[in-house]
Amino acid sequence: MAIPKEIQQYVENHIELLIQQTKSYLPFIKVAFPFSKNTADACYSLIVGNALSVFINQYAMRMQYPTEDDFVEFGKLTIKYKERIEKLF
């Protein structure tokens, strides 16, 4: 079963917002965490963790449960943003 289109769009829009916010905070991130070995991975993990919460909440609002296949699709959906986040750093 594929993720319902409205949930997918909501999650993707949320990820886009978080990437834009990361761009805004980039000067702070680079100054505040100078010894971090992989800040891009840390930001990606934070964004995906936040998006996961939105993903699950969207299902809950519809009184549904995501299936195992839905979580696999969520992983595929979010991995395509990893390279964009890495390019910020």
Side-chain angles (χ1 to χ4, degrees):
M1 178 179 175
I3 298 172
K5 189 70 171 166
E6 63 275 4
I7 292 177
Q8 180 178 343
Q9 287 176 337
Y10 195 88
V11 170
E12 286 181 327
N13 288 340
H14 187 72
I15 291 172
E16 289 292 340
L17 172 67
L18 294 174
I19 290 173
Q20 291 305 315
Q21 288 178 338
T22 301
K23 288 179 184 177
S24 297
Y25 289 115
L26 202 52
F28 164 76
I29 292 168
K30 289 181 177 182
V31 170
F33 304 104
F35 303 112
S36 180
K37 293 189 188 291
N38 200 332
T39 311
D41 272 350
C43 286
Y44 173 75
S45 295
L46 286 171
I47 289 170
V48 170
N50 190 286
L52 178 61
S53 177
V54 167
F55 174 75
I56 292 171
N57 284 331
Q58 286 297 307
Y59 274 92
M61 288 175 39
R62 292 164 177 76
M63 298 179 72
Q64 298 176 347
Y65 296 99
T67 65
E68 183 178 340
D69 289 339
D70 293 333
F71 284 110
V72 170
E73 289 298 316
F74 174 80
K76 291 176 183 176
L77 174 81
T78 58
I79 197 68
K80 67 183 181 183
Y81 294 96
K82 187 170 178 66
E83 187 176 328
R84 279 186 53 201
I85 295 167
E86 287 175 349
K87 287 181 180 179
L88 295 175
F89 297 90

